[in-house]
Amino acid sequence: DLFGVACGGGLVGSAVRFFEGHGKLASHNRPYSGGYVLDRHASLRRGVHAMQLEICRSTYLDSRLEHPSARLSSVAKMLAGLVRLLGEEASRLADNGFFAQAAE
């Protein structure tokens, strides 16, 4: 979240707790805080929240990191759950009357 510049703390906190609740190690802004997409598209002033997720490739690729492994479907299912959760939380932000949308 670019150290709080790109996304509200509540959404980021929910994402971190989601991963921890699924037994996954999660860190916030370490080792990466986000890059071009967040800098270019996020705007809290306009209600556009954005976060960048970095997923270790070894969790869903084979040992050579070349092809999807059998774990890919469970990782995809977990990420779909995160998207649902954050979508619900983002819709509550919209209920407060200030919500914009962006996607890349």
Side-chain angles (χ1 to χ4, degrees):
D1 72 347
L2 287 173
F3 297 100
V5 173
C7 190
L11 291 173
V12 172
S14 291
V16 170
R17 285 188 300 277
F18 178 88
F19 285 120
E20 290 172 346
H22 283 82
K24 305 299 180 191
L25 179 63
S27 63
H28 180 209
N29 287 320
R30 303 272 191 256
Y32 308 109
S33 65
Y36 172 80
V37 172
L38 298 185
D39 189 49
R40 172 85 169 110
H41 297 289
S43 175
L44 292 181
R45 179 178 43 76
R46 294 185 306 121
V48 179
H49 297 257
M51 73 175 73
Q52 180 174 327
L53 301 176
E54 298 284 338
I55 309 290
C56 179
R57 290 179 290 165
S58 67
T59 63
Y60 60 89
L61 294 178
D62 64 12
S63 62
R64 294 178 66 184
L65 303 178
E66 293 178 348
H67 302 286
S69 72
R71 297 179 305 273
L72 177 62
S73 63
S74 65
V75 172
K77 183 177 178 180
M78 180 182 61
L79 291 175
L82 176 63
V83 169
R84 280 190 296 278
L85 171 72
L86 295 178
E88 290 168 5
E89 292 196 16
S91 72
R92 285 192 286 279
L93 292 174
D95 290 342
N96 292 330
F98 189 66
F99 184 68
Q101 298 181 44
E104 179 173 297

